[in-house]
Amino acid sequence: MTPRQRLEQVDWPALEQHLDDQGHAVIPGLLDAGECTGLAALYAETDRFRSRVVMARHGFGRGEYQYFAYPLPTLVDTLRQNLYPHLVPTANRWQARLGRQRRFPVEHRAYLAQCHDGGQCRPTPLLLRYRPGDYNCLHQDLYGENWFPLQVAVLLSAPGEQFEGGEFVLTEQRPRRQSRAMVPPLRQGDALVFAVNQRPVAGQRGDYRVTLRHGVSELRRGERYTLGLIFHDAA
């Protein structure tokens, strides 16, 4: 079964409901072990990437990541193109609830054209690599004025076998409340869909905004690779 076929089997109404309730949702087994291994192996092929970031140099944490160059590897492009249409209904609904004017087209290529017209032309899909002692500080992946409200991280390494520690961490900053931390359990090949910046939450006086950030806790053993799929391009 291909990743595209697996996406067709997802219970999208249930996933949308979980996104509304929690700001994140898991697609179990989006990639198989062979696909994960193949993507992680691309990290050594430096000609596939437009830039490399060593996190410690910028105060982002420890570890490193590389942004793919265009054209994207076939599997990365397939995932980006086929995930996006399923996420547009939630994205547009959130935009309306938050009082934002921008609406997103159904096809990803049409959305990318909007990004490029606005000067956001650099591809944002990336591979992240963590080794013992590495971690990623809480952050958001915005990259410009035109940003899509949801993104996806696919865990390419097997927890407990290839690494220990390195949990994916989400935090929610709620108005007049302390922040909430969430650690979604992930297996190799699972895809985590989560809010890029803010999501609406229903309150007694209507919807209010909750701000999310994400990061990775310290890796204790092994090596951990992640594919990041961001649907807007960078300025």
Side-chain angles (χ1 to χ4, degrees), residues 161-173:
E161 298 177 20
Q162 296 174 314
F163 72 94
E164 292 179 356
E167 293 87 359
F168 193 97
V169 180
L170 286 162
T171 64
E172 282 190 340
Q173 179 60 57

Side-chain angles (χ1 to χ4, degrees), residues 56-84:
R57 294 177 184 170
H58 306 277
F60 297 164
R62 280 184 53 180
E64 61 180 57
Y65 53 88
Q66 296 187 95
Y67 289 104
F68 284 104
Y70 281 134
L72 300 176
T74 300
L75 180 54
V76 176
D77 186 60
T78 296
L79 290 171
R80 202 184 190 204
Q81 296 293 333
N82 287 279
L83 277 160
Y84 172 88

Side-chain angles (χ1 to χ4, degrees), residues 101-146:
Q101 297 301 311
R102 186 186 299 276
R103 298 294 182 270
F104 301 98
V106 174
E107 296 296 328
H108 188 244
R109 297 193 190 281
Y111 175 55
L112 280 186
Q114 293 180 3
C115 290
H116 295 176
D117 287 346
Q120 294 180 214
C121 301
R122 296 186 297 160
T124 51
L126 70 162
L127 279 180
L128 303 99
R129 185 185 71 188
Y130 301 89
R131 288 171 170 170
D134 290 350
Y135 62 93
N136 197 344
C137 296
L138 295 171
H139 64 284
Q140 297 177 328
D141 297 313
L142 298 178
Y143 301 118
E145 293 184 1
N146 189 348

Side-chain angles (χ1 to χ4, degrees), residues 14-222:
L15 186 138
E16 290 179 13
Q17 185 62 58
H18 204 274
L19 284 172
D20 283 344
D21 293 342
Q22 301 294 331
H24 68 274
V26 176
I27 302 174
L30 178 58
L31 298 181
D32 63 28
E35 291 161 341
C36 290
T37 300
L39 284 175
L42 296 180
Y43 200 85
E45 300 180 19
T46 55
D47 58 338
R48 291 182 176 270
F49 300 93
R50 65 172 176 85
S51 67
R52 172 174 167 265
V53 176
V54 178
M55 287 189 255
R57 294 177 184 170
H58 306 277
F60 297 164
R62 280 184 53 180
E64 61 180 57
Y65 53 88
Q66 296 187 95
Y67 289 104
F68 284 104
Y70 281 134
L72 300 176
T74 300
L75 180 54
V76 176
D77 186 60
T78 296
L79 290 171
R80 202 184 190 204
Q81 296 293 333
N82 287 279
L83 277 160
Y84 172 88
H86 292 291
L87 303 178
V88 166
T90 297
N92 283 335
R93 184 160 37 80
W94 283 8
Q95 291 287 95
R97 290 178 61 185
L98 293 173
R100 295 176 177 151
Q101 297 301 311
R102 186 186 299 276
R103 298 294 182 270
F104 301 98
V106 174
E107 296 296 328
H108 188 244
R109 297 193 190 281
Y111 175 55
L112 280 186
Q114 293 180 3
C115 290
H116 295 176
D117 287 346
Q120 294 180 214
C121 301
R122 296 186 297 160
T124 51
L126 70 162
L127 279 180
L128 303 99
R129 185 185 71 188
Y130 301 89
R131 288 171 170 170
D134 290 350
Y135 62 93
N136 197 344
C137 296
L138 295 171
H139 64 284
Q140 297 177 328
D141 297 313
L142 298 178
Y143 301 118
E145 293 184 1
N146 189 348
W147 46 268
F148 190 71
L150 296 159
Q151 66 189 82
V152 177
V154 185
L155 183 60
L156 303 180
S157 305
E161 298 177 20
Q162 296 174 314
F163 72 94
E164 292 179 356
E167 293 87 359
F168 193 97
V169 180
L170 286 162
T171 64
E172 282 190 340
Q173 179 60 57
R174 298 170 293 174
R176 298 176 298 279
R177 296 184 184 180
Q178 294 183 340
S179 296
R180 178 172 74 134
M182 298 165 285
V183 182
L186 297 174
R187 299 171 299 178
Q188 184 182 39
D190 287 355
L192 180 68
V193 185
F194 57 99
V196 168
N197 180 16
Q198 294 177 326
R199 72 179 183 95
V201 175
Q204 293 182 349
R205 300 180 181 179
D207 290 323
Y208 62 91
R209 299 183 181 194
V210 167
T211 299
L212 285 89
R213 289 180 173 81
H214 63 280
V216 172
S217 69
E218 183 175 335
L219 199 77
R220 296 192 296 274
R221 179 186 65 82

